[in-house]
Amino acid sequence: LDALHMNDSNCQMVEVDRSKRSDAHNMEDWKIGTIPVLIVMCGNEEIGRVEEAPVQSWEGDLLLILSRHRQAL
């Protein structure tokens, strides 16, 4: 986020357990197939996801997703 000069106050992390459940959110709508998973949302729209094994790295894949959608964020 620092590399893109983005404000992290717009970010939220939702943790799920191995059974893909969260105390704070209904996870059924998110269609989680594998864990770990990183789902990037802009408003109510999913703009990207990294599942199980990232292509570059967790940070690199997140940077790629955010840079592609930077104007929407």
Side-chain angles (χ1 to χ4, degrees):
L1 297 177
D2 289 340
L4 293 173
H5 307 288
M6 295 180 66
N7 183 350
D8 64 359
S9 67
N10 296 328
C11 297
Q12 176 183 7
M13 180 182 287
V14 176
E15 298 173 0
V16 297
D17 60 20
R18 291 182 186 264
S19 61
K20 304 172 193 161
R21 294 186 188 150
S22 170
D23 292 335
H25 297 277
N26 178 3
M27 302 310 295
E28 292 177 12
D29 297 336
W30 294 31
K31 299 177 179 79
I32 297 175
T34 59
I35 52 173
V37 61
L38 173 67
I39 301 172
V40 182
M41 306 287 291
C42 181
N44 291 327
E45 180 182 350
E46 180 178 328
I47 61 170
R49 153 182 314 226
V50 181
E51 292 184 300
E52 201 166 12
V55 175
Q56 297 176 8
S57 65
W58 287 97
E59 295 86 356
D61 287 5
L62 177 59
L63 182 62
L64 183 62
I65 292 166
L66 293 175
S67 62
R68 286 182 182 163
H69 298 277
R70 185 174 183 188
Q71 293 167 336
L73 302 171

